[in-house]
Amino acid sequence: QLQLVESGGGLVQPGGSLRLSCAASGFTLNDYAIGWFRQAPGKEREAISCINSSGGSINFVDSVKGRFIVSRDNAKNTVYLQMNTLKPEDTGVYYCARKGGGSCLLGSYNYWGQGTHVTVSS
């Protein structure tokens, strides 16, 4: 059964860090591009980062550049989103999703995780 499971969310103070995980089962994760999305309360879901099958990454949101780093551990079949210097506006539900191929720039996302909640608050 093909599945993506996010974990690592929680409550963190502004300026803190969290590492989100996106664990894949039922397929070999490094064959595909994996994207990270977030949905803030009352807002539409937005794409924030993507890592392709070769390990190259893209940040789509200027506000996370220099703070968020996406990486993958092929041995663990897991993609990570390291989030540093967190801000209250980073609060939301974070999702990972799989593309149909290895490129972040081509194709669409066809499998989604259930999401993990991140709250940045003092």
Side-chain angles (χ1 to χ4, degrees), residues 20-47:
L20 305 185
S21 299
C22 172
S25 59
F27 68 97
T28 302
L29 189 141
N30 62 313
D31 288 339
Y32 300 91
I34 302 295
W36 282 100
F37 296 77
R38 71 182 175 192
Q39 187 165 19
K43 296 185 178 181
E44 293 187 354
R45 187 172 58 196
E46 64 176 346

Side-chain angles (χ1 to χ4, degrees), residues 11 45-47 53 58 60 72 75 79 86 90:
L11 173 63
R45 187 172 58 196
E46 64 176 346
S53 58
I58 303 172
F60 297 114
R72 66 197 311 155
V79 167
L86 283 161
D90 294 318

Side-chain angles (χ1 to χ4, degrees), residues 61-114:
V61 178
D62 287 342
S63 64
V64 308
K65 291 179 180 178
R67 299 191 298 123
F68 288 13
I69 301 169
V70 59
S71 62
R72 66 197 311 155
D73 185 333
N74 294 333
K76 295 183 178 180
N77 219 31
T78 300
V79 167
Y80 301 100
L81 183 67
Q82 177 68 43
M83 307 188 296
N84 301 318
T85 319
L86 283 161
K87 304 176 182 180
E89 52 264 42
D90 294 318
T91 294
V93 181
Y94 284 71
Y95 301 88
C96 63
R98 195 201 84 171
K99 284 261 190 176
S103 171
C104 287
L105 301 177
L106 300 174
S108 59
Y109 292 97
N110 52 15
Y111 290 99
W112 292 81
Q114 82 290 348

